[in-house]
Amino acid sequence: MFLKNKLVSQLTQYYLRYDKENPFIYLSILLSFLGISLGVMALIISMGVMNGTQKELTKKLTTMKYPITITSQIQNRIDDDLVLKLNKKFPSFKISPYYETKAIIQDGDEINAVLLYGVDFKKESEINNIFKDAVGKGEGKFKVIIGVGFSNSFGYFDGDKIELMFPKMETLGFASAPIKKRFLIDGTFKSGLGAYDIGVMYTTIDAMKRILQKNYFDGVHVSSLNAMEDIKKIRNFLNDEYDIIGWWERDSELYSALKTEKTALFLVLMIIILVASLNIISSLLMMVITKRKDIALLISLGSTKKEIKNIFFRLGLTVGMAGIIFGLILGAIGLWVLSFWKLSESIYGFSKLPIELPLFDLGLIILGTITIVFLSSIYPAKKAAETDVLKVLRND
Amino acid sequence: MIKVKNISHGFDKELFIDINIDLKVGDSLAITGRSGSGKSTLLHIMSSFLKPNKGIVIFDKKDIYKYSELVRRKYFGIIFQDHFLLNGMTVKENLKISENISEKEIDNELLKELGIYELIDKKVSELSGGQKQRVSIARVLVKKPLVIFGDEITANLDKETRDEVLDMLFEYKRKNECILILVTHDDEVSNRCLRTLKI
């Protein structure tokens, strides 16, 4: 199909010139070109914005929900030994053991519950950037990092003291009462996820160990570059006593919704390209009909049907490829312009529109469009080659 | 070199029956007859554009359909009543089509002989009817065909231009030893040909 042929090149270039006698064909070809360009531009911009926002959302989700969580139904199974074993086996993974408990804050007549994690501040900072950014310089073990939502709703700020009540009883003479402890607020985190910002707090491992009076952890959070693959390695390493779960498994519906949304958008936008490619077919067919005399003459002069087919096939491909290139340029400009677009962080959770277009997605857009352009050029080219020379010459 | 053996053809009814012609290098044949008698149809059969209902056309001792389409088009040149030039192109670009098809270079001497050398950079739309027909003849001659077919090539030309075109064509035939087969209504054309076939 891609024979290097001077005749094919000459005629392709000639038919791409503005034709005074048939301006509508030229206009139609121009519209086909623009249709493909706009389709590619729409795909690039939409996929770029969709990927960017999804990545930003996924980043927040994986940070707060942690990529991989190891827990156990059996008590005493998650201790310092297990953490040591994991660190030794998977030195590239970031591992942070944690305690987890509910805590109650009584503020006058109002009572609020939060989920309190007891973490090693150093290890947690390695796997949780949001936490890392919030940690202050407070001394001692009884300190907490609170969420910005909690801070704003209940009026607690860095440096304040807050009393937490735990679902663990302590004996006071002949009676018993829930343990209460005052903590220094050492920092405020902002995850961008409302439920976490209001309902999650972090304290030190030592504080939790002291309050809960236990030497084993409730779980281990693990972060790695490729959690979806690495989770298999951890499962192979640990026995069935452990529950190992990835964030995408815990929120499988959300994860599949994100994936489906992206695929659906890609397919819908590909339909735009498909519609634009119909214009290529109709323009080329129109050209084949108006150039029947030229085709008949070329065959009478000795050009082969294959050459005739190649002329119109290359014509469709040239218009389509030019459209793709122009569309890529427009798309890149569009993404560049959108990257400066400021957003209200309080509403959207981003200060500017997150944009990302991975090479794989870009390749998929180009490949998909080229395939459509390729297929839509075949039929008119085949029709051109089927021109009945005698019929054309006789009817003239 | 080109032999027509027992050719019969027709569409609803037979146009001609058992036509036999034997032409050698240097021959010229005028095919004449009334309108609708099948002159052009016979020309199309001889030039392998149309398969006859009966009979065969032999070219250089072989049935023409034994040759590939490419070979047939290489050795045969057809000139039409209409010039069929590509109007948006210059004369040179039109001739370039033939050059690209036949892979034979445009011979400037030939263009001088045909009187179109000075027109080479002009757009086809700027040419007169006679000039256009000369260019369409040149486009075929660039291929250096062994058999030249012409279908009413002088029908749209005035007497003076017709004579110029015929002079040019017969001179080319003489110099290049090819066969000339012309369908015509014009007695002047048939008078110039060595042989005439009336159907």
Side-chain angles (χ1 to χ4, degrees):
Chain A
M1 284 300 241
F2 298 100
L3 286 176
K4 199 183 172 193
N5 185 305
K6 283 180 185 171
L7 179 78
V8 175
S9 302
Q10 185 194 7
L11 270 296
T12 309
Q13 282 170 32
Y14 172 63
Y15 288 136
L16 282 171
R17 284 189 215 160
Y18 176 68
D19 184 358
K20 277 186 212 162
E21 288 173 16
N22 298 295
F24 291 110
I25 294 178
Y26 188 79
L27 187 67
S28 181
I29 286 192
L30 198 67
L31 288 175
S32 312
F33 160 79
L34 286 175
I36 296 285
S37 300
L38 293 177
V40 172
M41 183 192 79
L43 257 170
I44 297 267
I45 292 178
S46 309
M47 295 303 283
V49 172
M50 170 73 92
N51 272 312
T53 47
Q54 276 197 359
K55 195 184 172 191
E56 204 56 38
L57 183 65
T58 308
K59 199 168 129 192
K60 283 178 180 171
L61 283 172
T62 50
T63 305
M64 295 311 289
K65 286 174 180 272
Y66 302 94
I68 300 168
T69 303
I70 303 169
T71 55
S72 179
Q73 297 289 335
I74 306 162
Q75 283 193 348
N76 297 324
R77 284 295 179 273
I78 303 174
D79 51 16
D80 286 329
D81 282 350
L82 179 81
V83 175
L84 210 64
K85 266 166 68 184
L86 287 169
N87 272 323
K88 204 171 170 189
K89 177 73 183 171
F90 307 108
S92 63
F93 295 1
K94 306 275 185 246
I95 293 165
S96 173
Y98 67 90
Y99 287 99
E100 181 186 316
T101 186
K102 300 267 191 323
I104 290 166
I105 298 106
Q106 191 170 9
D107 190 15
D109 295 338
E110 212 174 327
I111 289 177
N112 294 290
V114 294
L115 184 67
L116 182 68
Y117 285 110
V119 293
D120 179 324
F121 273 34
K122 191 166 168 273
K123 286 178 179 165
E124 185 68 12
S125 293
E126 286 176 1
I127 66 168
N128 186 338
N129 282 331
I130 294 165
F131 175 83
K132 186 183 172 187
D133 293 342
V135 173
K137 287 177 180 159
E139 296 291 326
K141 56 185 158 199
F142 292 105
K143 55 185 178 183
V144 283
I145 308 296
I146 63 170
V148 69
F150 183 88
S151 170
N152 293 337
S153 298
F154 303 108
Y156 286 99
F157 301 98
D158 293 2
D160 290 354
K161 294 267 184 165
I162 185 170
E163 189 177 67
L164 300 181
M165 193 158 60
F166 294 89
K168 177 136 180 110
M169 306 303 272
E170 64 179 342
T171 310
L172 297 166
F174 294 106
S176 61
I179 298 173
K180 284 183 183 176
K181 188 73 198 164
R182 280 167 71 81
F183 287 80
L184 170 75
I185 298 176
D186 188 35
T188 308
F189 70 82
K190 186 182 180 187
S191 71
L193 301 167
Y196 285 81
D197 286 349
I198 203 163
V200 172
M201 287 184 186
Y202 297 89
T203 186
T204 62
I205 272 195
D206 291 340
M208 289 291 263
K209 208 181 261 185
R210 171 92 176 267
I211 292 163
L212 300 176
Q213 296 290 310
K214 60 181 186 183
N215 286 322
Y216 55 89
F217 302 112
D218 291 312
V220 176
H221 287 138
V222 181
S223 174
S224 74
L225 283 176
N226 189 357
M228 286 187 189
E229 284 303 312
D230 294 336
I231 197 169
K232 294 173 194 162
K233 295 176 189 166
I234 300 174
R235 280 184 177 137
N236 286 336
F237 180 63
L238 297 178
N239 58 39
D240 292 343
E241 290 174 355
Y242 298 95
D243 296 322
I244 302 145
I245 192 161
W247 79 266
W248 62 95
E249 294 165 327
R250 195 191 309 221
D251 295 293
S252 57
E253 284 174 9
L254 175 67
Y255 179 68
S256 65
L258 289 175
K259 274 188 92 172
T260 313
E261 196 181 12
K262 189 176 158 185
T263 312
L265 183 74
F266 182 79
L267 290 176
V268 167
L269 292 171
M270 265 295 163
I271 292 172
I272 295 178
I273 307 265
L274 205 63
V275 172
S277 76
L278 291 179
N279 212 15
I280 290 191
I281 299 177
S282 62
S283 308
L284 285 182
L285 281 177
M286 212 175 359
M287 186 171 265
V288 168
I289 291 165
T290 51
K291 303 294 177 191
R292 279 183 320 147
K293 272 165 74 175
D294 292 4
I295 297 169
L297 169 92
L298 289 169
I299 294 173
S300 80
L301 278 175
S303 68
T304 60
K305 293 197 167 179
K306 195 175 177 182
E307 283 170 327
I308 301 293
K309 198 194 264 183
N310 276 344
I311 290 167
F312 288 89
F313 180 76
R314 199 182 281 187
L315 204 58
L317 219 56
T318 308
V319 173
M321 293 303 285
I324 291 171
I325 292 167
F326 191 56
L328 287 173
I329 294 167
L330 286 182
I333 293 171
L335 286 181
W336 181 72
V337 170
L338 284 176
S339 70
F340 294 105
W341 195 7
K342 299 273 182 228
L343 292 173
S344 165
E345 199 169 357
S346 57
I347 299 170
Y348 299 102
F350 321 115
S351 57
K352 59 181 191 172
L353 198 62
I355 287 165
E356 182 167 316
L357 189 63
L359 275 180
F360 177 77
D361 286 6
L362 182 66
L364 210 62
I365 292 168
I366 295 171
L367 193 71
T369 317
I370 287 176
T371 307
I372 291 174
V373 166
F374 191 90
L375 292 176
S376 54
S377 304
I378 291 175
Y379 179 71
K382 195 167 161 274
K383 278 287 162 202
E386 285 169 3
T387 301
D388 185 339
V389 181
L390 271 188
K391 209 170 164 185
V392 175
L393 298 178
R394 274 204 183 120
N395 289 343
D396 183 63
Chain B
M1 195 177 197
I2 188 161
K3 196 186 270 185
V4 170
K5 279 180 83 178
N6 304 321
I7 292 279
S8 300
H9 195 80
F11 299 98
D12 296 330
K13 57 171 190 164
E14 289 289 311
L15 281 170
F16 42 78
I17 300 166
D18 285 339
I19 300 275
N20 287 285
I21 313 160
D22 189 356
L23 297 167
K24 296 193 170 39
V25 171
D27 267 348
S28 54
L29 172 73
I31 303 172
T32 62
R34 293 172 60 185
S35 294
S37 59
K39 301 182 296 292
S40 294
T41 303
L42 179 61
L43 192 86
H44 293 147
I45 288 171
M46 291 176 79
S47 57
S48 79
F49 273 117
L50 184 65
K51 277 196 175 177
N53 293 347
K54 200 186 127 209
I56 58 166
V57 178
I58 294 166
F59 175 68
D60 201 20
K61 298 174 188 168
K62 239 164 80 174
D63 182 343
I64 48 169
Y65 286 102
K66 294 267 163 66
Y67 294 97
S68 70
E69 194 189 355
L70 209 66
V71 171
R72 278 182 269 144
R73 301 279 163 261
K74 186 178 168 189
Y75 292 127
F76 295 175
I78 304 179
I79 307 161
F80 301 97
Q81 182 178 339
D82 191 312
H83 52 79
F84 286 123
L85 295 170
L86 276 69
N87 277 328
M89 286 185 173
T90 61
V91 170
K92 193 177 183 178
E93 285 170 331
N94 267 282
L95 298 176
K96 195 88 183 159
I97 292 175
S98 267
E99 190 183 75
N100 286 334
I101 290 173
S102 62
E103 293 174 346
K104 284 177 184 160
E105 275 188 32
I106 299 169
D107 180 357
N108 285 337
E109 285 307 310
L110 175 75
L111 302 186
K112 281 174 189 166
E113 280 172 28
L114 297 177
I116 57 165
Y117 183 71
E118 62 280 4
L119 305 174
I120 203 101
D121 293 321
K122 280 199 170 181
K123 275 265 167 77
V124 168
S125 51
E126 296 166 12
L127 304 181
S128 69
Q131 287 171 325
K132 283 177 184 170
Q133 191 60 298
R134 280 164 191 255
V135 175
S136 79
I137 291 170
R139 187 175 55 189
V140 169
L141 300 185
V142 163
K143 294 198 316 172
K144 300 195 169 49
L146 297 178
V147 185
I148 300 167
F149 298 92
D151 192 357
E152 301 276 13
I153 59 169
T154 56
N156 293 336
L157 306 177
D158 58 64
K159 189 178 168 298
E160 201 177 322
T161 313
R162 177 200 68 186
D163 289 342
E164 280 175 19
V165 166
L166 288 176
D167 288 347
M168 186 181 88
L169 207 53
F170 278 86
E171 179 61 14
Y172 178 86
K173 179 188 78 77
R174 190 187 63 76
K175 277 188 180 169
N176 293 278
E177 293 195 322
C178 56
I179 296 169
L180 195 57
I181 302 168
L182 302 171
V183 164
T184 184
H185 276 111
D186 189 339
D187 289 341
E188 172 61 24
V189 177
S190 49
N191 287 341
R192 289 206 188 200
C193 290
L194 296 174
R195 297 167 66 180
T196 302
L197 173 73
K198 189 171 181 183
I199 56 171

